[in-house]
C-alpha cells in the first residue's frame, strides 16, 4: 500500500502552523548538572570497576535484583549508575520469548526485593524503565532508602568489543576530561543524547537575538517534519541493477559525517512559500531559497535517460520508510530539504525536473555551530591521543572516548527531532478487536497482546526537528556528491560509474571498486573501511551485505598488516 505524505492545509488553517509553541523555548540552564556515582560491570565475568578499584562479584543468574544486591553490598556508599560493559543480562532468557523486547521487558520488570521502579526526582524527570531490544535502561528506587540507580548498556556510547570494565572506565574519564576543556561544567550524563543536548544548552548565547532562547515550532510543523523528514539513507541495490558477480566490494564511510553539516541551521519564524509565490520569484531568488534553510514539497520526474542511483527520497510502504526512485521517467511527490533539491537540479550527470508545490523557509542561523565546533575539537584531540599514545590500553580508551564524542553529536542531533510520545498497553487475546486501530503490536503471548500507539508531542523545550531535518538532508546529499575544495575533487555516489553502487547505509557507501577520493581525517571525508577482493556474489539481503562488510574489513586490515 502506497504511503501518502501529509500536506499543509490551505488558507488560514495552514498559516496557523507557521508560529511557535507558546511559552516554550530552548534556554540556557541556570544550574550545574550533578555528576552521578558510576560503576562499570561485566556481567559475564562479574568484574566491577569503581573509581580505581576492581572487585569480583558473584552475580548468579545476573537478574536485576542480583546485580543491585551485589553492587550495593560491594560499594556501600551508594551507586547511581551501573554501566554494563559486557554480558547483556537482559537477553539471558531471550529464547523463551517471541520478541527480544519481550525478554528485555521481563528482565526489567522481574521482582527485585527492596527495590521498585523509579518514579523520578527533582529536575530529573526520567522515570520508569526504558524498554529497548539492545540498549535498555532499568531505573530503580530503594523502597526504604534514598537510593536511585540506573542499569544501562555501555553500547549506547560505543561498541566495547572485548574491552575490560577498567578500559571502559578510562574511556569515560578521558571523555569527561576532554569535554571539560570546552565546557568547564561538563558532566557525562547517562546517554549520549542526554549529554549532547545538555552541552548544547550551555552554548545558547547570553546576548543577542536568541539570548531568551530558541522558540520551539508549532506542534503541527513538528508533526509534519516528523512524517516527512527521514534520517539516514539505507538502500541495497540488487541484480539486475548491479552485476550478479561483483569484481570486488569496497566500503567507504564518511568520518564523523554529521559534524560536517552543522554550520548552518534554520532559525526564526518560518514562512510558507506556496507554489504561486515561488513561481513569481526570479531564478536568482528561487536558487537562493533552495540554497537556504527550507523543507519543500515537490513533484519530481526522473530524466528519461537517467542510468544512475536515485537522488530524492520518496515514501515507501511502512511507517517512516523511504526509497529512492531511479527508473527513467518516474514521477512522484515527496518532501525534501534544500541540499537534496539542489543536488537533483545541479548534479554532475543531468538535472532532474523539480516542480515546487509548497515550502517552509527559515532564516539561516548558527544555533549548533559553537556546540559542534567544540565537539569536533574534542573528537580531534581524542583521535590524536588514540593514534599517538604509546600505552595500548590508554590508546584504546582514547579511541572509545572519541567514539563516544561521535555518539554525543549523532544522538544529540537525533534528540532534537523529538518523536511523538508512545503509550504502551495490553489487550486480552480474547478481545483482539479492542486493540486500537492506530496501534502497533509489539508482542504477544497466549493470554494477551502488547501494543503501543503515538499520543502526540510532549512540551519539550529542546524540540527542534527543523535542525535534525536540515542536517540529515545535507548528509544524504553529501553521499551523492561533495566537493573537496583543497584537492578540487568531487566524491560521492554520483561520481562513480553507473552500476557500481551496491548499497547506502547512513554514512557509508558500498562500491564495486576503489575511488581516488582524498582522506584528510576531517569530518565528512570518505574513509576506506573495507575492501573484499572479488569475484563476490552480489548481496540480495541486508544480512548478506553485513557479512560481506565484515569480511571486507577483515581483509583490508590483513592487507594493511602485511604491508
Amino acid at each position: 500500500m502506497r504511503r501518502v505524505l501529509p500536506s499543509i492545509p490551505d488558507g488560514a488553517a495552514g498559516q496557523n502552523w507557521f508560529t511557535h509553541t507558546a511559552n516554550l523555548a530552548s534556554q540556557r540552564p541556570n544550574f550545574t548538572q550533578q555528576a552521578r556515582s558510576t560503576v562499570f560491570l561485566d556481567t559475564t565475568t562479574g568484574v566491577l570497576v569503581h573509581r580505581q578499584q576492581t572487585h569480583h562479584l558473584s552475580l548468579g543468574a545476573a537478574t536485576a535484583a542480583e546485580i543491585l544486591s551485589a553492587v550495593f553490598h560491594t560499594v556501600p556508599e551508594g551507586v547511581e549508575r551501573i554501566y554494563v560493559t559486557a554480558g547483556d543480562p537482559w537477553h539471558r532468557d531471550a529464547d523463551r520469548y517471541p520478541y527480544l523486547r519481550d525478554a528485555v521487558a521481563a528482565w526489567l520488570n522481574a521482582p527485585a526485593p527492596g527495590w521498585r521502579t523509579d518514579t523520578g526526582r527533582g529536575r530529573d524527570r526520567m522515570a520508569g524503565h526504558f524498554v529497548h531490544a539492545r540498549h535498555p535502561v532499568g531505573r530503580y528506587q530503594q523502597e526504604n532508602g534514598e537510593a536511585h540507580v540506573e542499569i544501562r548498556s555501555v553500547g549506547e556510547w560505543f561498541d566495547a568489543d572485548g574491552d575490560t570494565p577498567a578500559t571502559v572506565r578510562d574511556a569515560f574519564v578521558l571523555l569527561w576530561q576532554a569535554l571539560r576543556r570546552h565546557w568547564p561544567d561538563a558532566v557525562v550524563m547517562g546517554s549520549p543524547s542526554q549529554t549532547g543536548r545538555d552541552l548544547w544548552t550551555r552554548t545558547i548565547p547570553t546576548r543577542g537575538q536568541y539570548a531568551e532562547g530558541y522558540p520551539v515550532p508549532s506542534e503541527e510543523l513538528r508533526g509534519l517534519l516528523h512524517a516527512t523528514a527521514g534520517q539516514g539513507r539505507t538502500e541495497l541495490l540488487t541484480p539486475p541493477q548491479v552485476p550478479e558477480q561483483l569484481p570486488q566490494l569496497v566500503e567507504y564511510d564518511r568520518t564523523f559525517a554529521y559534524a560536517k553539516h552543522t554550520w548552518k541551521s534554520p532559525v526564526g519564524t518560518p514562512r510558507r512559500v506556496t507554489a504561486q509565490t515561488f513561481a513569481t520569484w526570479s531564478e536568482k531568488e528561487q536558487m537562493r531559497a533552495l540554497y537556504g534553510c527550507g523543507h519543500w514539497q515537490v513533484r519530481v520526474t526522473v530524466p528519461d535517460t537517467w542510468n544512475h542511483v536515485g537522488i530524492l527520497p520518496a515514501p515507501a510502504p511502512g511507517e517512516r520508510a523511504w526509497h529512492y526512485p531511479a527508473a527513467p521517467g518516474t514521477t512522484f511527490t515527496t518532501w525534501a530539504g534544500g541540499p537534496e533539491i539542489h543536488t537533483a537540479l545541479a548534479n554532475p550527470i543531468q538535472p532532474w525536473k523539480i516542480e515546487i508545490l509548497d515550502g517552509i523557509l527559515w532564516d539561516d542561523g548558527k544555533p549548533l555551530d559553537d556546540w559542534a565546533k567544540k565537539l569536533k575539537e574534542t573528537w580531534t584531540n581524542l583521535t590524536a591521543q588514540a593514534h599517538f599514545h604509546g600505552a595500548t590500553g590508554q590508546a584504546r580508551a582514547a579511541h572509545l572516548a572519541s567514539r563516544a564524542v561521535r555518539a554525543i553529536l549523532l544522538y544529540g542531533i537525533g534528540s532534537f527531532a523529538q518523536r511523538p510520545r508512545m503509550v504502551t498497553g495490553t489487550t486480552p487475546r480474547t478481545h483482539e478487536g479492542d486493540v486500537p486501530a492506530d496501534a502497533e503490536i509489539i508482542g504477544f503471548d497466549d493470554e494477551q497482546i502488547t501494543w503501543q500507539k503515538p499520543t502526540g508531542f510532549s512540551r519539550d523545550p529542546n524540540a527542534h526537528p527543523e535542525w535534525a531535518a536540515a542536517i540529515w538532508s545535507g548528509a544524504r546529499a553529501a553521499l551523492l556528491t561533495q566537493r573537496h575544495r583543497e584537492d578540487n575533487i568531487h566524491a560521492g555516489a554520483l561520481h562513480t560509474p553507473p552500476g557500481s553502487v551496491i548499497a547506502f547505509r547512513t554514512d557509508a557507501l558500498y562500491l564495486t571498486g576503489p575511488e581516488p577520493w582524498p582522506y584528510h581525517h576531517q569530518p565528512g571525508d570518505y574513509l576506506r573501511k573495507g575492501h573484499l577482493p572479488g569475484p563476490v556474489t552480489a548481496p540480495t539481503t541486508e544480512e548478506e551485505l553485513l557479512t560481506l562488510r565484515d569480511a571486507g574489513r577483515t581483509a583490508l586490515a590483513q592487507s594493511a598488516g602485511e604491508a
Side-chain angles (χ1 to χ4, degrees):
M1 186 178 74
R2 194 166 64 89
R3 182 166 59 102
V4 178
L5 299 179
S7 299
I8 304 169
D10 291 330
Q15 203 52 45
N16 289 338
W17 290 25
F18 289 76
T19 58
H20 293 119
T21 302
N23 305 313
L24 193 64
S26 311
Q27 296 180 315
R28 194 181 184 108
N30 57 6
F31 63 92
T32 302
Q33 280 293 355
Q34 297 302 304
R36 299 284 176 88
S37 172
T38 302
V39 297
F40 301 87
L41 175 65
D42 182 329
T43 61
T44 303
T45 63
V47 172
L48 174 91
V49 171
H50 174 236
R51 299 198 177 115
Q52 283 84 25
Q53 305 264 309
T54 299
H55 307 271
H56 291 82
L57 310 187
S58 177
L59 295 176
T63 62
E66 288 167 314
I67 289 171
L68 291 168
S69 175
V71 169
F72 275 77
H73 177 75
T74 306
V75 189
E77 64 264 37
V79 169
E80 296 172 281
R81 186 174 295 136
I82 301 168
Y83 275 125
V84 173
T85 64
D88 294 346
W90 37 79
H91 292 161
R92 292 281 170 93
D93 294 327
D95 54 351
R96 292 174 45 196
Y97 294 89
Y99 297 100
L100 207 50
R101 281 174 59 102
D102 294 350
V104 171
W107 187 89
L108 292 169
N109 292 308
W115 298 86
R116 57 188 166 87
T117 304
D118 202 344
T119 53
R121 54 180 165 155
R123 281 196 179 88
D124 187 356
R125 296 187 301 275
M126 302 296 280
H129 303 313
F130 174 62
V131 180
H132 185 281
R134 301 288 173 190
H135 307 307
V137 182
R139 299 187 178 98
Y140 301 92
Q141 185 175 348
Q142 223 166 16
E143 286 186 338
N144 299 309
E146 295 295 314
H148 298 253
V149 63
E150 293 180 332
I151 301 177
R152 309 188 75 111
S153 166
V154 85
E156 290 180 84
W157 291 88
F158 44 69
D159 183 11
D161 186 14
D163 294 295
T164 66
T167 300
V168 172
R169 178 195 173 272
D170 288 346
F172 275 88
V173 171
L174 286 174
L175 172 66
W176 175 75
Q177 290 171 340
L179 290 172
R180 283 265 163 149
R181 293 191 182 98
H182 297 286
W183 287 274
D185 54 353
V187 169
V188 178
M189 300 179 71
S191 71
S193 62
Q194 288 173 317
T195 307
R197 207 155 47 161
D198 179 69
L199 293 175
W200 172 74
T201 61
R202 296 171 194 280
T203 66
I204 294 174
T206 54
R207 293 194 297 271
Q209 184 179 1
Y210 294 103
E212 298 299 314
Y214 292 96
V216 170
S218 69
E219 185 164 333
E220 291 84 359
L221 270 191
R222 281 183 277 152
L224 180 77
L225 287 163
H226 172 71
T228 61
Q231 193 173 350
R233 178 171 181 167
T234 302
E235 182 182 23
L236 176 64
L237 293 105
T238 56
Q241 295 166 288
V242 298
E244 292 196 2
Q245 291 294 311
L246 312 178
Q248 48 198 314
L249 184 71
V250 185
E251 177 191 8
Y252 284 97
D253 186 71
R254 294 186 68 230
T255 296
F256 203 21
Y258 287 0
K260 177 87 171 176
H261 306 287
T262 52
W263 62 277
K264 182 178 78 171
S265 302
V267 293
T269 304
R271 56 193 172 115
R272 184 175 190 177
V273 180
T274 62
Q276 293 87 341
T277 300
F278 191 83
T280 65
W281 289 353
S282 68
E283 185 178 347
K284 186 176 180 181
E285 288 173 318
Q286 290 179 350
M287 292 311 292
R288 187 187 301 129
L290 293 176
Y291 260 126
C293 293
H295 192 59
W296 302 93
Q297 187 180 32
V298 289
R299 186 177 293 115
V300 183
T301 302
V302 182
D304 288 339
T305 55
W306 189 256
N307 67 344
H308 219 296
V309 297
I311 291 179
L312 291 170
E319 168 69 8
R320 294 185 62 76
W322 302 89
H323 66 147
Y324 294 80
T330 303
T331 296
F332 59 96
T333 299
T334 192
W335 284 84
E340 290 165 289
I341 301 288
H342 184 262
T343 300
L345 290 169
N347 68 77
I349 301 172
Q350 66 182 127
W352 286 30
K353 182 182 176 185
I354 305 291
E355 181 185 352
I356 301 292
L357 304 177
D358 212 340
I360 309 161
L361 191 60
W362 289 266
D363 293 336
D364 295 356
K366 292 183 174 292
L368 304 176
D369 195 42
D370 185 33
W371 172 72
K373 280 179 178 172
K374 289 176 174 177
L375 288 176
K376 280 187 270 192
E377 287 179 28
T378 304
W379 173 80
T380 300
N381 177 277
L382 288 166
T383 303
Q385 284 188 55
H387 189 69
F388 294 113
H389 208 294
T392 306
Q394 280 298 297
R396 177 64 181 169
H399 170 72
L400 294 178
S402 74
R403 300 298 291 171
V405 176
R406 176 186 177 275
I408 287 172
L409 185 112
L410 182 72
Y411 296 117
I413 290 166
S415 73
F416 289 126
Q418 194 214 26
R419 307 284 180 244
R421 286 175 299 178
M422 304 295 287
V423 63
T424 303
T426 58
T427 300
R429 287 293 290 266
T430 53
H431 293 75
E432 286 187 23
D434 293 341
V435 174
D438 57 345
E440 176 192 3
I441 294 173
I442 59 173
F444 57 85
D445 57 26
D446 292 340
E447 296 178 3
Q448 64 184 20
I449 299 166
T450 304
W451 48 264
Q452 66 179 16
K453 57 176 277 192
T455 60
F457 294 95
S458 63
R459 282 184 60 82
D460 179 353
N462 295 317
H464 289 285
E466 70 278 19
W467 296 347
I471 290 166
W472 293 339
S473 178
R476 288 194 300 269
L479 272 182
L480 297 169
T481 178
Q482 71 174 17
R483 184 181 170 212
H484 293 263
R485 282 189 177 83
E486 62 275 27
D487 303 282
N488 196 27
I489 289 178
H490 285 81
L494 294 179
H495 301 277
T496 66
S500 64
V501 178
I502 305 303
F504 298 86
R505 277 183 61 81
T506 308
D507 301 327
L509 270 180
Y510 296 83
L511 307 174
T512 59
E515 292 289 338
W517 296 337
Y519 185 74
H520 301 301
H521 301 274
Q522 294 299 310
D525 285 359
Y526 279 94
L527 170 67
R528 188 164 59 122
K529 288 186 75 171
H531 192 158
L532 188 63
V536 179
T537 301
T540 57
T541 65
E542 184 182 35
E543 188 177 6
E544 289 176 2
L545 174 67
L546 295 180
T547 299
L548 293 175
R549 177 198 69 180
D550 294 344
R553 290 180 179 179
T554 300
L556 182 63
Q558 287 175 345
S559 65
E562 290 165 4

